[in-house]
Coordinates of all heavy atoms in Angstrom, one line a residue:
M4 N 132.7 84.9 167.7 CA 133.6 84.5 168.9 C 133.0 83.5 169.8 O 131.8 83.5 169.9 CB 134.1 85.8 169.6 CG 135.1 85.6 170.6 SD 135.4 87.1 171.6 CE 136.3 88.0 170.4
F5 N 133.8 82.6 170.3 CA 133.2 81.6 171.2 C 134.0 81.6 172.5 O 135.2 82.0 172.5 CB 133.5 80.2 170.5 CG 132.6 80.0 169.3 CD1 133.1 80.3 168.1 CD2 131.4 79.3 169.4 CE1 132.4 80.2 166.9 CE2 130.6 79.1 168.2 CZ 131.2 79.6 167.0
I6 N 133.3 81.1 173.5 CA 134.0 80.9 174.9 C 133.7 79.5 175.2 O 132.6 78.9 175.1 CB 133.3 81.9 175.9 CG1 133.8 83.3 175.7 CG2 133.6 81.3 177.3 CD1 133.2 84.2 176.8
V7 N 134.8 78.9 175.7 CA 134.7 77.4 176.1 C 134.9 77.4 177.6 O 135.6 78.2 178.2 CB 135.8 76.6 175.4 CG1 137.2 77.1 175.7 CG2 135.7 75.2 175.7
S8 N 134.2 76.4 178.2 CA 134.3 76.2 179.6 C 134.2 74.7 179.9 O 133.6 73.9 179.2 CB 133.2 76.9 180.5 OG 132.0 76.4 180.1
I9 N 134.9 74.2 180.9 CA 134.9 72.8 181.3 C 134.4 72.7 182.8 O 134.8 73.4 183.7 CB 136.2 72.1 181.2 CG1 136.7 72.2 179.8 CG2 136.3 70.8 181.7 CD1 138.2 71.6 179.7
D10 N 133.3 71.9 183.0 CA 132.8 71.7 184.2 C 133.6 70.5 185.0 O 133.5 69.4 184.6 CB 131.3 71.2 184.2 CG 130.6 71.1 185.5 OD1 131.3 71.0 186.5 OD2 129.4 71.1 185.6
E11 N 134.4 71.0 185.9 CA 135.3 70.0 186.6 C 134.5 68.8 187.3 O 135.0 67.8 187.5 CB 136.2 70.8 187.6 CG 137.4 71.3 187.0 CD 138.4 71.8 188.1 OE1 138.2 71.5 189.3 OE2 139.4 72.5 187.8
D12 N 133.4 69.3 187.7 CA 132.6 68.2 188.5 C 132.0 67.1 187.6 O 131.7 66.0 188.0 CB 131.4 68.9 189.1 CG 131.8 69.9 190.3 OD1 132.9 69.7 190.8 OD2 131.0 70.7 190.6
V13 N 131.9 67.4 186.3 CA 131.5 66.5 185.3 C 132.6 65.7 184.6 O 132.5 64.5 184.2 CB 130.6 67.2 184.3 CG1 130.1 66.2 183.2 CG2 129.4 67.9 185.0
C14 N 133.7 66.4 184.4 CA 135.0 65.8 183.7 C 135.3 64.5 184.5 O 135.5 64.4 185.7 CB 136.0 66.8 183.8 SG 137.7 66.1 183.1
T15 N 135.6 63.4 183.7 CA 136.0 62.2 184.2 C 137.5 62.0 184.1 O 138.0 60.8 184.5 CB 135.2 61.0 183.4 OG1 135.4 61.1 182.1 CG2 133.8 61.1 183.7
G16 N 138.2 63.0 183.6 CA 139.6 62.9 183.5 C 140.2 62.0 182.4 O 141.3 61.4 182.6
C17 N 139.5 61.8 181.3 CA 139.9 60.8 180.3 C 141.2 61.4 179.6 O 141.9 60.7 178.8 CB 138.8 60.6 179.3 SG 138.4 61.9 178.3
D18 N 141.4 62.8 179.6 CA 142.5 63.4 179.0 C 142.5 63.3 177.5 O 143.6 63.1 176.9 CB 143.8 62.8 179.6 CG 145.1 63.7 179.2 OD1 144.9 64.8 178.7 OD2 146.2 63.2 179.4
L19 N 141.4 63.4 176.9 CA 141.3 63.4 175.4 C 141.2 64.8 174.8 O 141.5 65.0 173.7 CB 140.1 62.5 175.0 CG 140.3 60.9 175.2 CD1 139.0 60.3 174.8 CD2 141.5 60.4 174.5
C20 N 140.6 65.8 175.5 CA 140.3 67.0 174.9 C 141.4 67.9 174.6 O 141.4 68.5 173.6 CB 139.2 67.7 175.8 SG 139.6 68.0 177.5
A21 N 142.4 67.9 175.5 CA 143.5 68.9 175.3 C 144.2 68.7 174.0 O 144.4 69.7 173.3 CB 144.5 68.8 176.5
D22 N 144.5 67.4 173.7 CA 145.2 67.2 172.4 C 144.3 67.4 171.1 O 144.8 67.6 170.0 CB 145.7 65.7 172.4 CG 146.9 65.5 173.2 OD1 147.5 66.5 173.6 OD2 147.2 64.3 173.5
S23 N 142.9 67.4 171.4 CA 142.0 67.6 170.2 C 141.9 69.1 169.9 O 141.4 69.4 168.8 CB 140.7 67.1 170.6 OG 139.9 67.9 171.4
C24 N 142.4 70.0 170.7 CA 142.1 71.4 170.5 C 143.1 72.1 169.6 O 144.2 72.2 170.0 CB 142.1 72.1 171.9 SG 141.7 73.9 171.7
P25 N 142.7 72.5 168.5 CA 143.6 73.2 167.5 C 144.1 74.5 168.0 O 145.1 75.1 167.6 CB 142.8 73.3 166.2 CG 141.4 73.2 166.6 CD 141.4 72.4 167.9
A26 N 143.3 75.1 168.9 CA 143.7 76.4 169.4 C 144.6 76.3 170.6 O 145.3 77.3 171.1 CB 142.4 77.1 169.9
G27 N 144.9 75.1 171.1 CA 145.8 74.8 172.2 C 145.4 75.6 173.6 O 146.3 75.9 174.3
I28 N 144.2 75.7 173.8 CA 143.7 76.4 175.0 C 143.2 75.5 176.1 O 142.8 75.9 177.2 CB 142.7 77.4 174.7 CG1 141.4 76.9 174.0 CG2 143.3 78.6 173.9 CD1 140.3 77.8 173.8
L29 N 143.2 74.1 175.9 CA 142.8 73.2 176.9 C 144.0 72.4 177.3 O 144.9 72.1 176.6 CB 141.8 72.2 176.2 CG 140.6 72.7 175.7 CD1 139.7 71.7 175.1 CD2 139.8 73.7 176.5
A30 N 144.0 72.1 178.6 CA 145.2 71.4 179.3 C 144.6 70.4 180.3 O 143.5 70.5 180.7 CB 146.2 72.3 179.9
F31 N 145.5 69.4 180.7 CA 145.1 68.4 181.6 C 145.9 68.7 182.9 O 147.1 68.7 182.9 CB 145.4 67.0 181.0 CG 144.9 66.0 181.9 CD1 143.5 65.7 182.0 CD2 145.7 65.1 182.6 CE1 143.0 64.7 182.8 CE2 145.1 64.1 183.4 CZ 143.7 63.9 183.5
D32 N 145.2 68.7 184.1 CA 145.9 68.8 185.3 C 146.1 67.4 185.9 O 145.2 66.8 186.3 CB 145.0 69.6 186.3 CG 145.6 69.9 187.6 OD1 146.3 69.1 188.1 OD2 145.3 71.0 188.1
E33 N 147.4 67.1 185.9 CA 147.8 65.7 186.3 C 147.5 65.4 187.8 O 147.2 64.3 188.1 CB 149.3 65.4 186.1 CG 149.6 65.4 184.6 CD 149.2 64.2 183.9 OE1 148.7 63.2 184.6 OE2 149.3 64.1 182.6
E34 N 147.5 66.4 188.6 CA 147.2 66.2 190.0 C 145.7 66.0 190.3 O 145.4 65.2 191.0 CB 147.8 67.4 190.8 CG 149.3 67.4 191.0 CD 149.7 68.5 192.0 OE1 148.9 69.1 192.7 OE2 151.0 68.7 192.1
K35 N 145.0 66.9 189.7 CA 143.5 66.8 189.9 C 142.9 65.8 189.1 O 141.8 65.4 189.2 CB 142.9 68.2 189.6 CG 143.2 69.3 190.6 CD 142.7 70.6 190.1 CE 141.8 71.3 191.0 NZ 141.3 72.6 190.3
K36 N 143.6 65.4 187.9 CA 143.0 64.5 187.0 C 141.8 65.1 186.3 O 140.7 64.4 186.2 CB 142.6 63.1 187.6 CG 143.9 62.4 188.2 CD 145.0 62.0 187.1 CE 146.1 61.3 187.7 NZ 147.3 61.4 186.9
K37 N 141.9 66.3 186.0 CA 140.8 67.1 185.3 C 141.4 68.0 184.2 O 142.5 68.5 184.3 CB 140.0 67.9 186.4 CG 139.5 67.3 187.5 CD 138.2 66.6 187.3 CE 137.6 65.9 188.5 NZ 136.3 65.1 188.2
S38 N 140.6 68.1 183.2 CA 141.0 69.1 182.2 C 140.4 70.5 182.6 O 139.5 70.6 183.3 CB 140.5 68.7 180.8 OG 141.3 67.7 180.3
Y39 N 141.1 71.5 182.1 CA 140.7 72.9 182.3 C 141.1 73.7 181.2 O 142.0 73.4 180.3 CB 141.4 73.3 183.6 CG 143.0 73.4 183.6 CD1 143.6 74.6 183.4 CD2 143.7 72.3 183.7 CE1 145.0 74.7 183.3 CE2 145.1 72.3 183.7 CZ 145.8 73.5 183.5 OH 147.1 73.5 183.4
V40 N 140.6 75.0 181.1 CA 140.9 75.9 180.1 C 142.2 76.7 180.6 O 142.2 77.4 181.5 CB 139.8 76.9 179.8 CG1 140.1 77.9 178.8 CG2 138.5 76.1 179.5
S41 N 143.3 76.3 179.8 CA 144.6 76.9 180.2 C 144.9 78.2 179.6 O 145.8 78.9 180.0 CB 145.7 75.9 180.1 OG 145.8 75.7 178.7
G42 N 144.3 78.5 178.4 CA 144.5 79.7 177.6 C 143.4 80.6 177.7 O 142.5 80.5 178.6
D43 N 143.4 81.5 176.8 CA 142.3 82.5 176.7 C 141.0 81.8 176.2 O 141.1 81.3 175.0 CB 142.7 83.6 175.8 CG 141.7 84.7 175.7 OD1 140.5 84.5 176.1 OD2 142.0 85.8 175.2
E44 N 140.1 81.7 177.1 CA 138.9 81.0 176.6 C 138.1 81.6 175.5 O 137.4 80.9 174.7 CB 137.8 80.8 177.8 CG 137.1 82.1 178.2 CD 137.6 82.7 179.4 OE1 138.6 82.3 180.0 OE2 137.0 83.7 179.8
T45 N 138.4 82.8 175.1 CA 137.9 83.4 173.9 C 138.5 83.1 172.7 O 138.1 83.6 171.6 CB 137.8 85.0 174.2 OG1 139.0 85.6 174.2 CG2 136.9 85.4 175.4
E46 N 139.7 82.5 172.7 CA 140.4 82.0 171.6 C 139.8 80.7 171.0 O 140.3 80.1 170.0 CB 141.9 81.8 171.9 CG 142.6 83.2 172.0 CD 144.0 83.0 172.1 OE1 144.6 82.0 172.0 OE2 144.7 84.1 172.4
C47 N 138.7 80.2 171.6 CA 138.1 79.0 171.1 C 137.4 79.3 169.7 O 136.9 80.4 169.5 CB 136.9 78.6 172.1 SG 135.8 77.4 171.5
M48 N 137.7 78.4 168.8 CA 137.3 78.6 167.4 C 135.9 78.0 167.2 O 135.4 78.1 166.1 CB 138.3 78.0 166.5 CG 139.7 78.6 166.6 SD 140.9 78.0 165.5 CE 141.0 76.3 166.0
G49 N 135.3 77.4 168.1 CA 134.1 76.8 168.0 C 134.0 75.6 167.1 O 133.0 75.2 166.6
C50 N 135.3 74.9 167.0 CA 135.3 73.8 166.0 C 134.5 72.5 166.6 O 134.3 71.5 165.8 CB 136.7 73.4 165.8 SG 137.6 72.7 167.2
E51 N 134.3 72.4 167.9 CA 133.6 71.4 168.6 C 134.4 70.0 168.6 O 133.9 69.0 168.9 CB 132.2 71.1 168.0 CG 131.3 72.3 168.1 CD 129.9 72.0 167.8 OE1 129.5 70.8 167.6 OE2 129.0 72.9 167.7
A52 N 135.7 70.1 168.4 CA 136.6 69.0 168.4 C 136.5 68.4 169.7 O 136.4 67.2 170.0 CB 138.0 69.2 167.9
C53 N 136.6 69.2 170.8 CA 136.8 68.8 172.2 C 135.4 68.2 172.6 O 135.4 67.2 173.4 CB 137.2 70.0 173.1 SG 136.0 71.4 172.9
I54 N 134.4 68.8 172.1 CA 133.0 68.2 172.5 C 132.8 66.8 171.8 O 132.3 65.9 172.5 CB 131.9 69.2 172.0 CG1 132.1 70.5 172.9 CG2 130.6 68.6 172.1 CD1 131.1 71.6 172.4
T55 N 133.3 66.6 170.7 CA 133.2 65.4 170.0 C 133.9 64.2 170.8 O 133.4 63.2 170.9 CB 133.8 65.5 168.5 OG1 133.1 66.4 167.9 CG2 133.7 64.1 167.9
V56 N 135.1 64.6 171.4 CA 135.8 63.5 172.1 C 135.5 63.4 173.5 O 135.8 62.3 174.1 CB 137.4 63.8 172.0 CG1 137.9 63.8 170.6 CG2 137.8 65.0 172.7
C57 N 134.7 64.3 174.1 CA 134.3 64.3 175.4 C 133.0 63.5 175.7 O 131.9 64.0 175.2 CB 134.1 65.7 176.0 SG 133.7 65.7 177.8
E58 N 133.1 62.3 176.2 CA 132.0 61.4 176.4 C 131.1 61.9 177.6 O 130.0 61.4 177.8 CB 132.4 60.0 176.5 CG 133.0 59.5 175.2 CD 133.3 58.0 175.3 OE1 133.2 57.4 176.4 OE2 133.7 57.5 174.2
S59 N 131.7 62.7 178.5 CA 130.9 63.0 179.7 C 130.1 64.3 179.5 O 129.3 64.5 180.4 CB 132.0 63.3 180.9 OG 132.6 64.4 180.7
G60 N 130.4 65.0 178.5 CA 129.5 66.2 178.3 C 130.0 67.4 179.2 O 129.2 68.3 179.6
A61 N 131.2 67.4 179.6 CA 131.8 68.4 180.5 C 132.1 69.7 179.9 O 132.2 70.7 180.6 CB 133.0 67.8 181.2
I62 N 132.2 69.7 178.6 CA 132.7 70.8 177.8 C 131.5 71.6 177.3 O 130.6 71.0 176.6 CB 133.6 70.6 176.7 CG1 134.8 69.7 177.4 CG2 134.2 71.8 176.1 CD1 135.8 69.2 176.4
T63 N 131.4 72.9 177.5 CA 130.5 73.8 176.8 C 131.1 74.9 176.0 O 132.1 75.5 176.5 CB 129.6 74.4 177.9 OG1 129.0 73.4 178.8 CG2 128.4 75.2 177.3
I64 N 130.5 75.1 174.9 CA 131.1 76.3 174.1 C 129.8 77.2 173.9 O 128.7 76.7 173.6 CB 131.8 75.9 172.8 CG1 130.9 75.2 171.9 CG2 133.1 75.2 173.1 CD1 131.6 75.0 170.5
M65 N 130.1 78.5 173.9 CA 129.0 79.4 173.8 C 129.5 80.5 172.8 O 130.6 81.0 172.9 CB 128.7 80.1 175.1 CG 127.5 81.0 175.2 SD 127.1 81.5 176.9 CE 128.7 82.4 177.3
E66 N 128.6 80.8 171.9 CA 128.9 81.8 170.9 C 128.5 83.2 171.5 O 127.5 83.3 172.1 CB 128.2 81.6 169.6 CG 128.6 82.5 168.5 CD 128.2 82.2 167.0 OE1 127.3 81.2 167.0 OE2 128.7 82.7 166.1
I67 N 129.5 84.2 171.4 CA 129.2 85.5 172.0 C 129.3 86.5 170.9 O 129.9 86.3 169.9 CB 130.2 85.7 173.1 CG1 131.6 85.7 172.7 CG2 129.9 84.9 174.3 CD1 132.6 86.2 173.8
Ligands
SF4_21 S1 135.7 74.0 170.3 FE1 137.7 73.6 169.2 S2 138.9 75.5 169.5 FE2 137.2 75.5 171.0 S3 138.1 74.6 172.9 FE3 137.1 73.0 171.8 S4 138.7 72.0 170.5 FE4 139.4 74.1 171.2
SF4_22 S1 137.3 65.0 177.1 FE1 135.8 65.6 178.8 S2 136.0 63.9 180.4 FE2 137.8 63.9 179.1 S3 139.4 65.2 180.1 FE3 138.3 66.5 178.6 S4 136.6 67.4 179.7 FE4 137.3 65.7 180.9

């Protein structure tokens, strides 16, 4: 099982990660211009698709 988290202070708001997530647990906040984990963070499959598209290194996944 994996847990995903996004560091808002590091996110540059490129809005690439939400669409990359096959689990559908990432979303983009249009007001804050930041991405966030909108679903159950433990539904992360550990595929690393979001990490691949994120150039800022704001996303961390941890195996638990
Ligand atoms: S690692 Fe994969 S399943 Fe997990 S949040 Fe990123 S894109 Fe979604
Ligand atoms: S890919 Fe990274 S920088 Fe872009 S919106 Fe997602 S967390 Fe932020």
Side-chain angles (χ1 to χ4, degrees):
M4 186 184 286
F5 293 86
I6 284 185
V7 61
S8 61
I9 298 178
D10 186 338
E11 275 192 10
D12 293 335
V13 179
C14 172
T15 57
C17 72
D18 193 14
L19 290 177
C20 55
D22 285 345
S23 78
C24 179
I28 56 174
L29 306 181
F31 188 70
D32 186 322
E33 291 288 350
E34 282 187 14
K35 289 168 122 182
K36 302 293 182 201
K37 302 279 180 182
S38 281
Y39 63 102
V40 181
S41 62
D43 182 346
E44 74 255 4
T45 63
E46 287 184 6
C47 172
M48 302 183 293
C50 69
E51 299 190 12
C53 57
I54 290 175
T55 300
V56 297
C57 182
E58 294 184 352
S59 71
I62 307 174
T63 304
I64 61 172
M65 186 173 63
E66 190 164 11
I67 55 170

